[in-house]
Amino acid sequence: MAEKNYYDILGVKKDASDADIKKRYRKLVRQYHPDVSDHPDADNKIAEINNAYETIRDKDKRAEYDAMLDNPFAGQAGAGGFGGQSAGGGQGGQGGFRWEDIKDQFGDGEAFGDGGFRFDDIFSAFGRGARGSEGAHSQGGFDQFGGGFSSQDHKGQDQHAEITVDLSSVYSGDDYNIKLNVPVRQPNGSVDYDNKTLKIKIPKGITDGKQIRLTGQGAAGMGNGANGDLFLKVKIRHADNIRIEGADVYQTVNIAPWEAALGDKIEVSTPVGTLGVTIPKNSKSGSNLRLKGKGIPAKQAGNLYLTLNIVNPDSNSEATIQAYEQLKQAFSDINIDR
């Protein structure tokens, strides 16, 4: 048996109730779903979680799996896709040998018969995906001990890429066209690449770093296996005076000294459109004006923060110099802490 079983994967005890298992499963799906998770291996993680849940949520499958855990060499062939080595050392139940069981018997890298095959050579030739995870059958492996290899269908590998979108598209939702070289498996087993233009829907409110999943647009499958999926990580393009933190948007806004001192109402071009904004009296550079709910319209809308930046007029002209001199005289009795 592999060290990590289905109960470990879900983070529940072996005697956990159906309700507790379901509750834990839902929590893990919310945490690791590739569409919302930043986990670097979210797609494989969620597949592992789903595989575990599909077995122990079913009363009969769970009973068989528990029996296999109690006696891993009893030849149990679980309906949920798990199976162990038979007690007689022959063919491992309905599912055949697991790679880990065979490897444990003969050692990693030990010669396999006079032909000199090593397990690492076999894994390299037929893809490491057949080197089963916990409790998995040896797909594409031995039909029987000493026999050849059976041809199996395998889903293609998932692919990951990055797409850059405008901030305005995130506020409204938008369509983007991207060009891809999509791998296509030919009848003879070779892989060709087909140039394809895909129309991508950018969901309204998606935040920086989240992923868009395109089903079937990954690497070609083996045999009749489905293609893998393509995961596009979203990168938001924005102006230099803007920064983004989650769903919150920070925008630097330049104001004149008299607007800061006296207060004023100004119009500001923002990602959500042109807004009328009131500058409070005695505002200081670096202070933020919060516009609630005007950030990225995610499930929980962010806020838009206008960071005030006081800009002094250019003092190169004679008129500006005179104005500064008058201002200096008018405030000659003001002491400034330095």
Side-chain angles (χ1 to χ4, degrees):
M1 289 296 298
E3 182 178 348
K4 195 174 183 182
N5 62 45
Y6 289 166
Y7 295 101
D8 294 334
I9 291 171
L10 294 179
V12 297
K13 294 182 178 179
K14 190 177 177 182
D15 59 354
S17 67
D18 292 343
D20 288 340
I21 291 171
K22 188 174 184 179
K23 182 179 179 181
R24 179 61 179 169
Y25 169 74
R26 288 179 173 176
K27 182 177 180 180
L28 291 174
V29 168
R30 288 194 298 269
Q31 181 179 354
Y32 290 108
H33 196 284
D35 290 345
V36 298
S37 177
D38 293 328
H39 194 280
D41 198 28
D43 49 331
N44 290 330
K45 187 74 175 177
I46 200 68
E48 182 183 54
I49 292 167
N50 284 334
N51 188 36
Y53 181 65
E54 286 301 315
T55 295
I56 65 175
R57 71 190 288 264
D58 182 278
K59 181 179 178 181
D60 294 334
K61 292 179 182 179
R62 184 177 180 182
E64 291 185 11
Y65 184 69
D66 288 346
M68 187 188 70
L69 289 178
D70 293 337
N71 186 4
F73 299 104
Q76 299 288 342
F82 50 86
Q85 184 179 348
S86 63
Q91 190 170 351
Q94 295 177 4
F97 285 93
R98 298 185 311 135
W99 285 112
E100 295 299 326
D101 293 337
I102 301 172
K103 176 173 170 289
D104 289 342
Q105 291 292 323
F106 293 94
D108 193 7
E110 186 173 342
F112 184 70
D114 295 334
F117 290 101
R118 298 184 310 147
F119 280 98
D120 280 349
D121 295 334
I122 298 172
F123 295 149
S124 299
F126 289 87
R128 304 192 74 86
R131 197 175 185 174
S133 58
E134 197 280 321
H137 286 315
S138 56
Q139 298 178 350
F142 290 100
D143 286 329
Q144 58 185 15
F145 192 75
F149 285 88
S150 62
S151 60
Q152 297 287 337
D153 299 332
H154 295 280
K155 180 182 177 181
Q157 188 175 25
D158 292 336
Q159 302 293 315
H160 296 264
E162 188 175 87
I163 182 172
T164 301
V165 303
D166 294 324
L167 180 57
S168 59
S169 299
V170 171
Y171 269 84
S172 60
D174 206 350
D175 293 329
Y176 276 69
N177 290 328
I178 62 172
K179 292 183 178 181
L180 297 174
N181 286 328
V182 181
V184 178
R185 179 73 61 179
Q186 301 301 312
N188 63 2
S190 65
V191 175
D192 288 338
Y193 287 85
D194 182 23
N195 292 323
K196 182 184 292 187
T197 299
L198 298 178
K199 188 175 184 179
I200 309 301
K201 178 67 177 178
I202 304 301
K204 179 179 177 180
I206 193 168
T207 52
D208 198 71
K210 296 300 182 182
Q211 296 188 106
I212 299 173
R213 182 176 187 170
L214 303 180
T215 304
Q217 301 299 334
M222 289 287 291
N224 293 321
N227 287 358
D229 299 331
L230 174 63
F231 292 87
L232 295 176
K233 184 177 181 180
V234 172
K235 182 177 181 181
I236 300 177
R237 178 170 47 221
H238 52 76
D240 292 339
N241 67 330
I242 289 177
R243 64 182 174 89
I244 299 173
E245 293 184 5
D248 292 332
V249 177
Y250 292 79
Q251 178 178 343
T252 300
V253 177
N254 294 332
I255 61 173
W258 51 89
E259 291 172 333
L262 304 177
D264 204 350
K265 187 170 184 177
I266 63 174
E267 288 191 345
V268 181
S269 179
T270 73
V272 77
T274 300
L275 301 176
V277 178
T278 299
I279 306 298
K281 291 182 179 180
N282 298 317
S283 292
K284 296 178 174 58
S285 271
S287 59
N288 288 318
L289 304 181
R290 187 183 74 159
L291 305 183
K292 187 176 180 180
K294 298 296 185 181
I296 294 176
K299 186 175 182 180
Q300 182 174 350
N303 300 318
L304 173 61
Y305 294 89
L306 301 181
T307 304
L308 302 180
N309 179 47
I310 299 175
V311 178
N312 293 315
D314 191 351
S315 59
N316 291 331
S317 69
E318 185 65 29
T320 304
I321 293 174
Q322 290 179 3
Y324 274 127
E325 287 292 341
Q326 292 173 3
L327 187 65
K328 179 179 178 182
Q329 294 175 12
F331 292 96
S332 60
D333 58 342
I334 299 297
N335 291 321
I336 299 176
D337 295 332
R338 304 187 189 280

PDB file of all heavy atoms in Angstrom, residues 167-201:
ATOM      1  N   LEU A 167      -7.616  45.831 -17.727  1.00  0.00           N
ATOM      2  CA  LEU A 167      -8.400  46.012 -16.511  1.00  0.00           C
ATOM      3  C   LEU A 167      -9.862  46.303 -16.846  1.00  0.00           C
ATOM      4  O   LEU A 167     -10.771  45.837 -16.150  1.00  0.00           O
ATOM      5  CB  LEU A 167      -7.805  47.147 -15.669  1.00  0.00           C
ATOM      6  CG  LEU A 167      -8.499  47.470 -14.352  1.00  0.00           C
ATOM      7  CD1 LEU A 167      -8.574  46.248 -13.447  1.00  0.00           C
ATOM      8  CD2 LEU A 167      -7.767  48.605 -13.630  1.00  0.00           C
ATOM      9  N   SER A 168     -10.099  47.037 -17.915  1.00  0.00           N
ATOM     10  CA  SER A 168     -11.470  47.353 -18.312  1.00  0.00           C
ATOM     11  C   SER A 168     -12.258  46.078 -18.640  1.00  0.00           C
ATOM     12  O   SER A 168     -13.462  45.995 -18.389  1.00  0.00           O
ATOM     13  CB  SER A 168     -11.472  48.295 -19.516  1.00  0.00           C
ATOM     14  OG  SER A 168     -10.784  47.709 -20.618  1.00  0.00           O
ATOM     15  N   SER A 169     -11.571  45.065 -19.182  1.00  0.00           N
ATOM     16  CA  SER A 169     -12.232  43.800 -19.501  1.00  0.00           C
ATOM     17  C   SER A 169     -12.658  43.066 -18.242  1.00  0.00           C
ATOM     18  O   SER A 169     -13.671  42.358 -18.226  1.00  0.00           O
ATOM     19  CB  SER A 169     -11.304  42.913 -20.328  1.00  0.00           C
ATOM     20  OG  SER A 169     -10.965  43.519 -21.553  1.00  0.00           O
ATOM     21  N   VAL A 170     -11.878  43.226 -17.188  1.00  0.00           N
ATOM     22  CA  VAL A 170     -12.202  42.580 -15.920  1.00  0.00           C
ATOM     23  C   VAL A 170     -13.444  43.219 -15.300  1.00  0.00           C
ATOM     24  O   VAL A 170     -14.246  42.542 -14.645  1.00  0.00           O
ATOM     25  CB  VAL A 170     -11.000  42.670 -14.961  1.00  0.00           C
ATOM     26  CG1 VAL A 170     -11.371  42.197 -13.569  1.00  0.00           C
ATOM     27  CG2 VAL A 170      -9.830  41.861 -15.505  1.00  0.00           C
ATOM     28  N   TYR A 171     -13.598  44.523 -15.512  1.00  0.00           N
ATOM     29  CA  TYR A 171     -14.771  45.217 -14.966  1.00  0.00           C
ATOM     30  C   TYR A 171     -16.048  44.838 -15.709  1.00  0.00           C
ATOM     31  O   TYR A 171     -17.117  44.734 -15.106  1.00  0.00           O
ATOM     32  CB  TYR A 171     -14.572  46.731 -15.042  1.00  0.00           C
ATOM     33  CG  TYR A 171     -13.943  47.326 -13.804  1.00  0.00           C
ATOM     34  CD1 TYR A 171     -12.563  47.336 -13.631  1.00  0.00           C
ATOM     35  CD2 TYR A 171     -14.731  47.868 -12.790  1.00  0.00           C
ATOM     36  CE1 TYR A 171     -11.980  47.877 -12.491  1.00  0.00           C
ATOM     37  CE2 TYR A 171     -14.163  48.411 -11.647  1.00  0.00           C
ATOM     38  CZ  TYR A 171     -12.795  48.409 -11.502  1.00  0.00           C
ATOM     39  OH  TYR A 171     -12.223  48.938 -10.360  1.00  0.00           O
ATOM     40  N   SER A 172     -15.968  44.627 -17.007  1.00  0.00           N
ATOM     41  CA  SER A 172     -17.181  44.424 -17.799  1.00  0.00           C
ATOM     42  C   SER A 172     -17.359  42.995 -18.292  1.00  0.00           C
ATOM     43  O   SER A 172     -18.462  42.600 -18.672  1.00  0.00           O
ATOM     44  CB  SER A 172     -17.171  45.368 -19.008  1.00  0.00           C
ATOM     45  OG  SER A 172     -16.034  45.115 -19.821  1.00  0.00           O
ATOM     46  N   GLY A 173     -16.281  42.206 -18.299  1.00  0.00           N
ATOM     47  CA  GLY A 173     -16.305  40.918 -18.994  1.00  0.00           C
ATOM     48  C   GLY A 173     -16.076  41.181 -20.473  1.00  0.00           C
ATOM     49  O   GLY A 173     -16.532  42.187 -21.004  1.00  0.00           O
ATOM     50  N   ASP A 174     -15.349  40.303 -21.142  1.00  0.00           N
ATOM     51  CA  ASP A 174     -14.998  40.586 -22.536  1.00  0.00           C
ATOM     52  C   ASP A 174     -14.602  39.293 -23.232  1.00  0.00           C
ATOM     53  O   ASP A 174     -14.371  38.261 -22.596  1.00  0.00           O
ATOM     54  CB  ASP A 174     -13.844  41.590 -22.594  1.00  0.00           C
ATOM     55  CG  ASP A 174     -13.827  42.397 -23.873  1.00  0.00           C
ATOM     56  OD1 ASP A 174     -14.582  42.051 -24.792  1.00  0.00           O
ATOM     57  OD2 ASP A 174     -13.050  43.368 -23.944  1.00  0.00           O
ATOM     58  N   ASP A 175     -14.533  39.354 -24.559  1.00  0.00           N
ATOM     59  CA  ASP A 175     -14.081  38.223 -25.366  1.00  0.00           C
ATOM     60  C   ASP A 175     -12.685  38.503 -25.919  1.00  0.00           C
ATOM     61  O   ASP A 175     -12.410  39.616 -26.368  1.00  0.00           O
ATOM     62  CB  ASP A 175     -15.037  37.962 -26.538  1.00  0.00           C
ATOM     63  CG  ASP A 175     -16.397  37.483 -26.073  1.00  0.00           C
ATOM     64  OD1 ASP A 175     -16.452  36.815 -25.025  1.00  0.00           O
ATOM     65  OD2 ASP A 175     -17.399  37.783 -26.746  1.00  0.00           O
ATOM     66  N   TYR A 176     -11.822  37.507 -25.861  1.00  0.00           N
ATOM     67  CA  TYR A 176     -10.475  37.615 -26.406  1.00  0.00           C
ATOM     68  C   TYR A 176     -10.250  36.463 -27.373  1.00  0.00           C
ATOM     69  O   TYR A 176     -10.731  35.343 -27.144  1.00  0.00           O
ATOM     70  CB  TYR A 176      -9.422  37.549 -25.294  1.00  0.00           C
ATOM     71  CG  TYR A 176      -9.152  38.870 -24.607  1.00  0.00           C
ATOM     72  CD1 TYR A 176     -10.095  39.461 -23.788  1.00  0.00           C
ATOM     73  CD2 TYR A 176      -7.949  39.532 -24.791  1.00  0.00           C
ATOM     74  CE1 TYR A 176      -9.857  40.663 -23.153  1.00  0.00           C
ATOM     75  CE2 TYR A 176      -7.694  40.744 -24.163  1.00  0.00           C
ATOM     76  CZ  TYR A 176      -8.651  41.302 -23.342  1.00  0.00           C
ATOM     77  OH  TYR A 176      -8.408  42.502 -22.720  1.00  0.00           O
ATOM     78  N   ASN A 177      -9.513  36.719 -28.421  1.00  0.00           N
ATOM     79  CA  ASN A 177      -9.109  35.664 -29.350  1.00  0.00           C
ATOM     80  C   ASN A 177      -7.639  35.344 -29.120  1.00  0.00           C
ATOM     81  O   ASN A 177      -6.801  36.253 -29.072  1.00  0.00           O
ATOM     82  CB  ASN A 177      -9.321  36.103 -30.801  1.00  0.00           C
ATOM     83  CG  ASN A 177     -10.786  36.203 -31.165  1.00  0.00           C
ATOM     84  OD1 ASN A 177     -11.617  35.456 -30.647  1.00  0.00           O
ATOM     85  ND2 ASN A 177     -11.127  37.125 -32.049  1.00  0.00           N
ATOM     86  N   ILE A 178      -7.325  34.071 -28.957  1.00  0.00           N
ATOM     87  CA  ILE A 178      -5.936  33.659 -28.804  1.00  0.00           C
ATOM     88  C   ILE A 178      -5.626  32.582 -29.837  1.00  0.00           C
ATOM     89  O   ILE A 178      -6.499  31.792 -30.221  1.00  0.00           O
ATOM     90  CB  ILE A 178      -5.630  33.124 -27.383  1.00  0.00           C
ATOM     91  CG1 ILE A 178      -6.462  31.876 -27.074  1.00  0.00           C
ATOM     92  CG2 ILE A 178      -5.868  34.194 -26.341  1.00  0.00           C
ATOM     93  CD1 ILE A 178      -6.055  31.200 -25.778  1.00  0.00           C
ATOM     94  N   LYS A 179      -4.385  32.567 -30.298  1.00  0.00           N
ATOM     95  CA  LYS A 179      -3.954  31.570 -31.272  1.00  0.00           C
ATOM     96  C   LYS A 179      -3.105  30.514 -30.569  1.00  0.00           C
ATOM     97  O   LYS A 179      -2.189  30.838 -29.823  1.00  0.00           O
ATOM     98  CB  LYS A 179      -3.155  32.237 -32.401  1.00  0.00           C
ATOM     99  CG  LYS A 179      -4.004  33.153 -33.271  1.00  0.00           C
ATOM    100  CD  LYS A 179      -3.190  33.731 -34.429  1.00  0.00           C
ATOM    101  CE  LYS A 179      -4.059  34.605 -35.319  1.00  0.00           C
ATOM    102  NZ  LYS A 179      -3.306  35.169 -36.472  1.00  0.00           N
ATOM    103  N   LEU A 180      -3.425  29.250 -30.852  1.00  0.00           N
ATOM    104  CA  LEU A 180      -2.728  28.139 -30.219  1.00  0.00           C
ATOM    105  C   LEU A 180      -2.295  27.123 -31.264  1.00  0.00           C
ATOM    106  O   LEU A 180      -2.946  26.947 -32.296  1.00  0.00           O
ATOM    107  CB  LEU A 180      -3.639  27.436 -29.212  1.00  0.00           C
ATOM    108  CG  LEU A 180      -4.129  28.212 -27.997  1.00  0.00           C
ATOM    109  CD1 LEU A 180      -5.121  27.362 -27.230  1.00  0.00           C
ATOM    110  CD2 LEU A 180      -2.962  28.581 -27.099  1.00  0.00           C
ATOM    111  N   ASN A 181      -1.183  26.447 -30.985  1.00  0.00           N
ATOM    112  CA  ASN A 181      -0.803  25.247 -31.721  1.00  0.00           C
ATOM    113  C   ASN A 181      -1.299  24.059 -30.909  1.00  0.00           C
ATOM    114  O   ASN A 181      -0.682  23.661 -29.929  1.00  0.00           O
ATOM    115  CB  ASN A 181       0.715  25.172 -31.918  1.00  0.00           C
ATOM    116  CG  ASN A 181       1.196  26.150 -32.951  1.00  0.00           C
ATOM    117  OD1 ASN A 181       0.505  26.460 -33.903  1.00  0.00           O
ATOM    118  ND2 ASN A 181       2.404  26.660 -32.763  1.00  0.00           N
ATOM    119  N   VAL A 182      -2.444  23.513 -31.296  1.00  0.00           N
ATOM    120  CA  VAL A 182      -3.091  22.456 -30.522  1.00  0.00           C
ATOM    121  C   VAL A 182      -2.572  21.098 -30.972  1.00  0.00           C
ATOM    122  O   VAL A 182      -2.626  20.779 -32.162  1.00  0.00           O
ATOM    123  CB  VAL A 182      -4.617  22.520 -30.701  1.00  0.00           C
ATOM    124  CG1 VAL A 182      -5.288  21.430 -29.877  1.00  0.00           C
ATOM    125  CG2 VAL A 182      -5.135  23.890 -30.289  1.00  0.00           C
ATOM    126  N   PRO A 183      -2.052  20.266 -30.031  1.00  0.00           N
ATOM    127  CA  PRO A 183      -1.579  18.933 -30.415  1.00  0.00           C
ATOM    128  C   PRO A 183      -2.739  18.010 -30.770  1.00  0.00           C
ATOM    129  O   PRO A 183      -3.728  17.939 -30.049  1.00  0.00           O
ATOM    130  CB  PRO A 183      -0.841  18.449 -29.157  1.00  0.00           C
ATOM    131  CG  PRO A 183      -1.447  19.221 -28.040  1.00  0.00           C
ATOM    132  CD  PRO A 183      -1.862  20.537 -28.602  1.00  0.00           C
ATOM    133  N   VAL A 184      -2.614  17.301 -31.894  1.00  0.00           N
ATOM    134  CA  VAL A 184      -3.657  16.382 -32.351  1.00  0.00           C
ATOM    135  C   VAL A 184      -3.033  15.003 -32.576  1.00  0.00           C
ATOM    136  O   VAL A 184      -2.073  14.866 -33.343  1.00  0.00           O
ATOM    137  CB  VAL A 184      -4.310  16.882 -33.656  1.00  0.00           C
ATOM    138  CG1 VAL A 184      -5.364  15.888 -34.127  1.00  0.00           C
ATOM    139  CG2 VAL A 184      -4.924  18.261 -33.452  1.00  0.00           C
ATOM    140  N   ARG A 185      -3.563  13.979 -31.910  1.00  0.00           N
ATOM    141  CA  ARG A 185      -3.045  12.626 -32.041  1.00  0.00           C
ATOM    142  C   ARG A 185      -3.547  12.006 -33.351  1.00  0.00           C
ATOM    143  O   ARG A 185      -4.734  11.989 -33.628  1.00  0.00           O
ATOM    144  CB  ARG A 185      -3.518  11.778 -30.852  1.00  0.00           C
ATOM    145  CG  ARG A 185      -3.074  10.326 -30.874  1.00  0.00           C
ATOM    146  CD  ARG A 185      -1.612  10.170 -30.569  1.00  0.00           C
ATOM    147  NE  ARG A 185      -1.274  10.662 -29.245  1.00  0.00           N
ATOM    148  CZ  ARG A 185      -0.061  10.626 -28.731  1.00  0.00           C
ATOM    149  NH1 ARG A 185       0.936  10.128 -29.443  1.00  0.00           N
ATOM    150  NH2 ARG A 185       0.183  11.112 -27.532  1.00  0.00           N
ATOM    151  N   GLN A 186      -2.620  11.522 -34.180  1.00  0.00           N
ATOM    152  CA  GLN A 186      -2.964  10.907 -35.452  1.00  0.00           C
ATOM    153  C   GLN A 186      -3.247   9.413 -35.261  1.00  0.00           C
ATOM    154  O   GLN A 186      -2.844   8.815 -34.248  1.00  0.00           O
ATOM    155  CB  GLN A 186      -1.818  11.102 -36.449  1.00  0.00           C
ATOM    156  CG  GLN A 186      -1.473  12.563 -36.710  1.00  0.00           C
ATOM    157  CD  GLN A 186      -2.648  13.338 -37.261  1.00  0.00           C
ATOM    158  OE1 GLN A 186      -3.308  12.886 -38.186  1.00  0.00           O
ATOM    159  NE2 GLN A 186      -2.916  14.504 -36.676  1.00  0.00           N
ATOM    160  N   PRO A 187      -3.953   8.784 -36.229  1.00  0.00           N
ATOM    161  CA  PRO A 187      -4.276   7.357 -36.092  1.00  0.00           C
ATOM    162  C   PRO A 187      -3.055   6.462 -35.905  1.00  0.00           C
ATOM    163  O   PRO A 187      -3.135   5.423 -35.260  1.00  0.00           O
ATOM    164  CB  PRO A 187      -5.003   7.028 -37.405  1.00  0.00           C
ATOM    165  CG  PRO A 187      -5.593   8.340 -37.841  1.00  0.00           C
ATOM    166  CD  PRO A 187      -4.597   9.383 -37.416  1.00  0.00           C
ATOM    167  N   ASN A 188      -1.916   6.858 -36.467  1.00  0.00           N
ATOM    168  CA  ASN A 188      -0.707   6.037 -36.327  1.00  0.00           C
ATOM    169  C   ASN A 188       0.026   6.283 -35.011  1.00  0.00           C
ATOM    170  O   ASN A 188       1.098   5.723 -34.776  1.00  0.00           O
ATOM    171  CB  ASN A 188       0.237   6.277 -37.504  1.00  0.00           C
ATOM    172  CG  ASN A 188       0.731   7.724 -37.563  1.00  0.00           C
ATOM    173  OD1 ASN A 188       0.396   8.537 -36.704  1.00  0.00           O
ATOM    174  ND2 ASN A 188       1.524   8.034 -38.584  1.00  0.00           N
ATOM    175  N   GLY A 189      -0.538   7.135 -34.169  1.00  0.00           N
ATOM    176  CA  GLY A 189       0.063   7.393 -32.863  1.00  0.00           C
ATOM    177  C   GLY A 189       0.935   8.628 -32.802  1.00  0.00           C
ATOM    178  O   GLY A 189       1.302   9.066 -31.718  1.00  0.00           O
ATOM    179  N   SER A 190       1.294   9.192 -33.949  1.00  0.00           N
ATOM    180  CA  SER A 190       2.112  10.401 -33.955  1.00  0.00           C
ATOM    181  C   SER A 190       1.263  11.621 -33.579  1.00  0.00           C
ATOM    182  O   SER A 190       0.039  11.565 -33.563  1.00  0.00           O
ATOM    183  CB  SER A 190       2.750  10.610 -35.335  1.00  0.00           C
ATOM    184  OG  SER A 190       1.747  10.851 -36.306  1.00  0.00           O
ATOM    185  N   VAL A 191       1.936  12.717 -33.268  1.00  0.00           N
ATOM    186  CA  VAL A 191       1.249  13.939 -32.875  1.00  0.00           C
ATOM    187  C   VAL A 191       1.593  15.054 -33.852  1.00  0.00           C
ATOM    188  O   VAL A 191       2.766  15.337 -34.100  1.00  0.00           O
ATOM    189  CB  VAL A 191       1.639  14.366 -31.439  1.00  0.00           C
ATOM    190  CG1 VAL A 191       1.001  15.703 -31.085  1.00  0.00           C
ATOM    191  CG2 VAL A 191       1.218  13.304 -30.437  1.00  0.00           C
ATOM    192  N   ASP A 192       0.579  15.650 -34.433  1.00  0.00           N
ATOM    193  CA  ASP A 192       0.743  16.844 -35.258  1.00  0.00           C
ATOM    194  C   ASP A 192       0.143  18.033 -34.518  1.00  0.00           C
ATOM    195  O   ASP A 192      -0.563  17.851 -33.519  1.00  0.00           O
ATOM    196  CB  ASP A 192       0.053  16.678 -36.625  1.00  0.00           C
ATOM    197  CG  ASP A 192       0.804  15.720 -37.529  1.00  0.00           C
ATOM    198  OD1 ASP A 192       2.012  15.524 -37.293  1.00  0.00           O
ATOM    199  OD2 ASP A 192       0.175  15.152 -38.436  1.00  0.00           O
ATOM    200  N   TYR A 193       0.439  19.221 -35.020  1.00  0.00           N
ATOM    201  CA  TYR A 193      -0.072  20.426 -34.372  1.00  0.00           C
ATOM    202  C   TYR A 193      -0.965  21.191 -35.340  1.00  0.00           C
ATOM    203  O   TYR A 193      -0.622  21.393 -36.502  1.00  0.00           O
ATOM    204  CB  TYR A 193       1.080  21.309 -33.889  1.00  0.00           C
ATOM    205  CG  TYR A 193       1.773  20.728 -32.693  1.00  0.00           C
ATOM    206  CD1 TYR A 193       2.796  19.787 -32.845  1.00  0.00           C
ATOM    207  CD2 TYR A 193       1.393  21.076 -31.409  1.00  0.00           C
ATOM    208  CE1 TYR A 193       3.422  19.234 -31.739  1.00  0.00           C
ATOM    209  CE2 TYR A 193       2.011  20.531 -30.295  1.00  0.00           C
ATOM    210  CZ  TYR A 193       3.023  19.611 -30.471  1.00  0.00           C
ATOM    211  OH  TYR A 193       3.628  19.059 -29.374  1.00  0.00           O
ATOM    212  N   ASP A 194      -2.108  21.584 -34.832  1.00  0.00           N
ATOM    213  CA  ASP A 194      -3.099  22.287 -35.633  1.00  0.00           C
ATOM    214  C   ASP A 194      -3.211  23.720 -35.124  1.00  0.00           C
ATOM    215  O   ASP A 194      -3.449  23.948 -33.931  1.00  0.00           O
ATOM    216  CB  ASP A 194      -4.446  21.569 -35.516  1.00  0.00           C
ATOM    217  CG  ASP A 194      -5.520  22.222 -36.355  1.00  0.00           C
ATOM    218  OD1 ASP A 194      -5.168  22.918 -37.322  1.00  0.00           O
ATOM    219  OD2 ASP A 194      -6.715  22.039 -36.043  1.00  0.00           O
ATOM    220  N   ASN A 195      -3.009  24.691 -36.026  1.00  0.00           N
ATOM    221  CA  ASN A 195      -3.164  26.087 -35.646  1.00  0.00           C
ATOM    222  C   ASN A 195      -4.642  26.392 -35.459  1.00  0.00           C
ATOM    223  O   ASN A 195      -5.453  26.147 -36.346  1.00  0.00           O
ATOM    224  CB  ASN A 195      -2.574  27.018 -36.715  1.00  0.00           C
ATOM    225  CG  ASN A 195      -1.062  26.897 -36.778  1.00  0.00           C
ATOM    226  OD1 ASN A 195      -0.421  26.730 -35.753  1.00  0.00           O
ATOM    227  ND2 ASN A 195      -0.502  26.975 -37.972  1.00  0.00           N
ATOM    228  N   LYS A 196      -4.980  26.903 -34.296  1.00  0.00           N
ATOM    229  CA  LYS A 196      -6.378  27.145 -33.985  1.00  0.00           C
ATOM    230  C   LYS A 196      -6.516  28.483 -33.269  1.00  0.00           C
ATOM    231  O   LYS A 196      -5.682  28.849 -32.439  1.00  0.00           O
ATOM    232  CB  LYS A 196      -6.920  26.025 -33.099  1.00  0.00           C
ATOM    233  CG  LYS A 196      -8.391  26.146 -32.744  1.00  0.00           C
ATOM    234  CD  LYS A 196      -8.834  25.058 -31.780  1.00  0.00           C
ATOM    235  CE  LYS A 196      -8.823  23.689 -32.433  1.00  0.00           C
ATOM    236  NZ  LYS A 196      -9.416  22.664 -31.528  1.00  0.00           N
ATOM    237  N   THR A 197      -7.568  29.208 -33.614  1.00  0.00           N
ATOM    238  CA  THR A 197      -7.896  30.445 -32.910  1.00  0.00           C
ATOM    239  C   THR A 197      -9.081  30.173 -31.995  1.00  0.00           C
ATOM    240  O   THR A 197     -10.133  29.709 -32.441  1.00  0.00           O
ATOM    241  CB  THR A 197      -8.245  31.572 -33.896  1.00  0.00           C
ATOM    242  OG1 THR A 197      -7.117  31.833 -34.729  1.00  0.00           O
ATOM    243  CG2 THR A 197      -8.617  32.845 -33.155  1.00  0.00           C
ATOM    244  N   LEU A 198      -8.889  30.435 -30.720  1.00  0.00           N
ATOM    245  CA  LEU A 198      -9.938  30.189 -29.741  1.00  0.00           C
ATOM    246  C   LEU A 198     -10.499  31.514 -29.233  1.00  0.00           C
ATOM    247  O   LEU A 198      -9.751  32.467 -28.992  1.00  0.00           O
ATOM    248  CB  LEU A 198      -9.390  29.397 -28.554  1.00  0.00           C
ATOM    249  CG  LEU A 198      -8.849  27.997 -28.844  1.00  0.00           C
ATOM    250  CD1 LEU A 198      -8.307  27.381 -27.568  1.00  0.00           C
ATOM    251  CD2 LEU A 198      -9.932  27.121 -29.437  1.00  0.00           C
ATOM    252  N   LYS A 199     -11.797  31.555 -29.066  1.00  0.00           N
ATOM    253  CA  LYS A 199     -12.451  32.721 -28.499  1.00  0.00           C
ATOM    254  C   LYS A 199     -12.622  32.479 -27.005  1.00  0.00           C
ATOM    255  O   LYS A 199     -13.296  31.545 -26.589  1.00  0.00           O
ATOM    256  CB  LYS A 199     -13.804  32.963 -29.166  1.00  0.00           C
ATOM    257  CG  LYS A 199     -14.471  34.269 -28.771  1.00  0.00           C
ATOM    258  CD  LYS A 199     -15.757  34.487 -29.576  1.00  0.00           C
ATOM    259  CE  LYS A 199     -16.376  35.838 -29.260  1.00  0.00           C
ATOM    260  NZ  LYS A 199     -17.611  36.069 -30.058  1.00  0.00           N
ATOM    261  N   ILE A 200     -11.978  33.326 -26.193  1.00  0.00           N
ATOM    262  CA  ILE A 200     -11.966  33.152 -24.747  1.00  0.00           C
ATOM    263  C   ILE A 200     -12.891  34.180 -24.104  1.00  0.00           C
ATOM    264  O   ILE A 200     -12.800  35.375 -24.397  1.00  0.00           O
ATOM    265  CB  ILE A 200     -10.540  33.323 -24.177  1.00  0.00           C
ATOM    266  CG1 ILE A 200      -9.554  32.449 -24.943  1.00  0.00           C
ATOM    267  CG2 ILE A 200     -10.529  32.994 -22.693  1.00  0.00           C
ATOM    268  CD1 ILE A 200      -9.859  30.994 -24.910  1.00  0.00           C
ATOM    269  N   LYS A 201     -13.757  33.723 -23.240  1.00  0.00           N
ATOM    270  CA  LYS A 201     -14.625  34.617 -22.484  1.00  0.00           C
ATOM    271  C   LYS A 201     -13.951  34.961 -21.162  1.00  0.00           C
ATOM    272  O   LYS A 201     -13.665  34.085 -20.348  1.00  0.00           O
ATOM    273  CB  LYS A 201     -15.980  33.951 -22.219  1.00  0.00           C
ATOM    274  CG  LYS A 201     -16.932  34.808 -21.392  1.00  0.00           C
ATOM    275  CD  LYS A 201     -17.379  36.041 -22.162  1.00  0.00           C
ATOM    276  CE  LYS A 201     -18.393  36.851 -21.364  1.00  0.00           C
ATOM    277  NZ  LYS A 201     -18.793  38.088 -22.089  1.00  0.00           N
TER     278      LYS A 201
END
